[in-house]
Amino acid sequence: MLQRTTAFALFLSLISCQEEAKDTNPPLDVNYEKIVLDNGLNVIFHIDKSDPVVAVSLTAHVGSAREKTGRTGFAHLFEHLLFLESENLGKGGLDQMSARIGGSGANGSTNRDRTNYYQTVPKNALEKMIWAEADKLGWFINTVTEPVLAKEKQVVKNEKRQRVDNQPYGHTYYVANKNLYPSGHPYNWQVIGSLEDLQNATLDDVKEFYAKWYTPNNVTLVIAGDFDLAQAKTWVKKYFDEIPSGDPISPINPQPATLDSTIKVYHEDNFANLPELTLIWPTVEIYHPDSYALEVLSNYLSQGKSAPLYQVLVEDKKLTSNTTMYNYNAELAGELYLNVTGFDQIDLDDVLLAINEGFEKFGKEGISDQDLIRIKAQQEADFYGSISSVVAKSFYLAQYNIFADDPGFISRDLEQTLQVTKSDVQRVYEKYIKGKPFVATSFVPKGQLDLALKNSKKAEVVEETISQGAEETFDSSIEATYEKTPSTFDRSIEPPYGETPKITPPTVWNTVLTNGLQVYGIKNDEVPVVDFNLIIKGGQSLETSDNLGVANLVAGLLTKGTANKTPQELEEEIELLGATLDISAQKESIRISGSTLAKNFEQTIALVEEVIVSPRWDEKELALYKQEVISWIQQDAASPGKIADNQFDSLFYGEGHILSNNLFGTAASVESLNMDDLKAYYQLLSSSNTTMHVVGDISQSSVQTALQSMAVSWPAKAVNIPDLPTLDTPKKSTVFFYDVPSAKQSHLRLGYPSLSSLDKDYFPAKVMNYLLGASGFASRLTQQLREAKGYTYHADSEFQGGLSVGPFLIYCSVRSNVTLESLEVIKQILENYGESFSNEDLATTKSSMVKSNARAFETASAKLRMLENISTYGWSTDYVLQQGQIVENMTLDEIKSLADNYLKSDQMIWLVVGDAKTQMDRLSELGFGTPILLNETSEVLMTSK
């Protein structure tokens, strides 16, 4: 056995214009040890004992780039198959085990060059996970049968419909790559593949793919978290050693794209309301020296007030609300994307002219020292945020091991970014963009072809036609029969748990400032970062029918400068601190969220204070932001998922209830609002109605010191938060339909007003719902709609809670031609859930919900949620342990009673957003009367005639 041991310490120092920036951050240790088994399996261990959890990730060096022509989407299809069954876990065994052990849920992802499988579990389940991952490599392929393959094809096709076919601009990357890369290039097709190729995949294809790519010598296993290193090595050798190595796999050399001339193509998009232009230039592969300067360049050109493209397209020409540019590097090649969604009726030729003007501006002026420092500081801070969990660290370690042949490349990777110079940025602009050919895609709304770039050719996009009974059928109940793969020991016995980890909630401190602002905090020194938020009561609930959308406008405008700083000055100061700041309106609050390096917390809070107490009230910025919000409203009106969310709110709260409205307002209401309206709403923001939550590498005393000035400058004032109208449960179920002609999927939103988080039944109801729709792929909704029927990609249910009564909600999107059938399955599950709930189900629920508490405090976001629950609902600091005890004490009769009381299939809103022409009339068979059409489109009117 070849063994190599390495450790690295990553020393990150913030580059800043501040004097105190000479102080460096404490070293960030990401220690690892790598071994290579005799069969070629690369194994990387990283110990992090901050939480009693372990992440296990298995990454195969295969993605869509290794597929054969005519079998596109196969790597991703294969990712799905590996979750379904293995010889020793059995059918659905991985999902069932994940639920029992309190794991985060077995998951995976596929890109062009790799496929990974990962999960975070309590530390005492590590051996179980190693056993399960070994089964993927050595004891899997015999379990794949024709019915299994047929069903999973439907699941993957549903995922494609959900992510691509039924989304505005969903085909952009397909069109871009088809034109950027020649036929036969590994990046010419999309990871998700084509529906035709997916359907044509055979069982022999599966076996051939597995034999070639899923071998130990092409796989990296990473174990990261709280574990005993020697014991973990023993387990890895026990379960993986006997798996035979595969044939040697030759590396593929980089194959960058080349263009002889600019290519312009257009597509009339059924789901777009606004024109969108995307430009793509060929660049370089991952970790190429130029890739780092390209990242800085793309950031500078498009992001923020100082960005040349922003200044020309947004501020001067007023063609769009923002510009997005990014460099995407993969193993074989890279692409630089520039994306601009124009305002309504904007000619994309005007957008292209403005882009060229922005480029000319950069060519003359270049990037300043200050902007280079600012961008590097932000990239460095972003890195800290990206490694806040052990599973994230496992991703990094595997990525660098596979593509840089060194897990320790993480230090050099960031160093390359921090060493980028102004001349580097200018050089890559001239080398890859200036005067260079590109691919231009114009995606325009149906019937608005005149907005596309002149001289564009029609893009080749295959649009699926949905018809009843068009999909292949299968019997998911058929059990696979096969001769088991031999082993040196009995692998059918699931390994035992290790010692149960002690779960200790983090220490919570709280204080109240003199202005009434409540502060809750948790000190956490894993990384030198502080995350925080301020939640100000009110939000949309303080609006009236005369000022719809004003809360969102106020939230957005607060970050557009202060009385003493221009919008650009404020933005640059935040970024120079390595900080982020976002303000958003919610239904019952305004939320200010931020993150900063710990040593810059006081300076960051000083800027937050200035934003709150000294708004700029800039008329120019208000006009820009209003136009941006109106474009959001227009875009959402074409997105089936957004339509479903907004229509459900309207039905759930009812006519006249302020929360029934879109948070953005309407295009008309936004246009009518003026600065006086915003200032009047701003007066309703009170420190005495605000709670702050702080998590990170900072003490309570330091937080209080940083807030001393705010306690004085933001005085308390009495603001009445009105009680919201009571919501009544529907007396009977009604089906509502919102028509999106030619929709490839139907979006379902089913629910009714149920419980607030303060109700005594709220948490017990969540326990009851766990196996219904809150346990990921193990839930009954997903098991029936996805695994048994192949109707959907996933389905979920939840009791949303809140200070006010929240909905019980079921949500998913299903293939259009099985809309009725999907609703019938859901109805049957709801009606039978309590009666069919067994002692075994109760044991699984208890095991999962109690054991998963080991993961309850791992990340900063988890700790912030914990603080919010404590401050909002008055729960104790150990409420997680108390809820665990509630779960332990639950009885089968209680579950059945809760199901009877709160799963009301005959007293719900049944909302469908889809193609009314083919699907609406069928829904009368559901038994809830004739569906009510919420909108009338030309297609529906023609059908009715």
Side-chain angles (χ1 to χ4, degrees), residues 61 101 182 227 242 300 390 482 501 524 588 664 772 895 919 934 945:
H61 188 179
I101 66 179
F227 61 91
E242 67 174 305
Y300 176 67
V390 288
Y482 48 83
N524 177 48
E588 296 185 64
F664 298 151
L772 174 64
I895 294 288
Q919 300 305 312
L934 297 174
K945 292 177 182 178

Side-chain angles (χ1 to χ4, degrees), residues 526-669:
E526 290 180 43
V527 291
V529 171
V530 180
D531 294 282
F532 62 88
N533 64 40
L534 292 93
I535 299 177
I536 309 171
K537 292 180 182 178
Q540 186 186 33
S541 70
L542 294 179
E543 293 180 353
T544 68
S545 58
D546 296 325
N547 65 358
L548 296 178
V550 68
N552 177 67
L553 286 184
V554 170
L557 205 63
L558 285 177
T559 58
K560 311 294 185 184
T562 68
N564 301 313
K565 291 181 177 66
T566 66
Q568 183 172 333
E569 289 170 342
L570 175 63
E571 181 181 88
E572 291 177 352
E573 284 202 31
I574 291 170
E575 292 185 354
L576 280 166
L577 294 171
T580 61
L581 185 64
D582 178 72
I583 306 179
S584 61
Q586 316 269 308
K587 287 196 175 295
E588 296 185 64
S589 67
I590 298 287
R591 178 181 291 262
I592 302 174
S593 302
S595 178
T596 183
L597 294 168
K599 67 178 184 179
N600 295 330
F601 180 77
E602 189 166 348
Q603 294 161 282
T604 303
I605 291 302
L607 292 176
V608 173
E609 176 188 349
E610 191 173 345
V611 163
I612 294 173
V613 303
S614 303
R616 187 171 183 83
W617 303 125
D618 189 311
E619 289 284 358
K620 175 186 173 184
E621 291 297 326
L622 176 58
L624 288 172
Y625 189 54
K626 285 171 65 174
Q627 185 59 63
E628 181 175 12
V629 173
I630 290 171
S631 73
W632 293 345
I633 294 169
Q634 292 169 330
Q635 285 177 290
D636 286 356
S639 171
K642 295 289 188 181
I643 292 170
D645 292 338
N646 289 329
Q647 289 296 317
F648 183 80
D649 280 352
S650 177
L651 296 167
F652 176 80
Y653 290 105
E655 186 176 356
H657 197 297
I658 196 63
L659 300 188
S660 69
N661 300 289
N662 188 331
L663 267 171
F664 298 151
T666 66
S669 70

Side-chain angles (χ1 to χ4, degrees), residues 91 140 172 271 307 476 670 677 827:
K91 189 174 183 178
F140 159 75
T172 297
F271 302 103
S476 63
V670 171
D677 296 318
K827 181 183 178 185

Side-chain angles (χ1 to χ4, degrees), residues 442-458:
S442 300
F443 276 57
V444 297
K446 288 280 189 181
Q448 298 183 27
L449 187 54
D450 57 315
L451 302 182
L453 291 184
K454 299 297 186 291
N455 301 316
S456 294
K457 295 182 179 180
K458 181 177 175 60

Side-chain angles (χ1 to χ4, degrees), residues 770-807:
Y770 175 75
L771 278 186
L772 174 64
S775 50
F777 294 117
S779 75
R780 289 200 184 175
L781 288 171
T782 297
Q783 283 293 309
Q784 285 298 308
L785 290 170
R786 171 178 165 143
E787 301 302 331
K789 302 293 186 181
Y791 291 166
T792 187
Y793 178 50
H794 67 86
D796 302 280
S797 65
E798 63 180 335
F799 288 87
Q800 289 189 349
L803 281 172
S804 304
V805 168

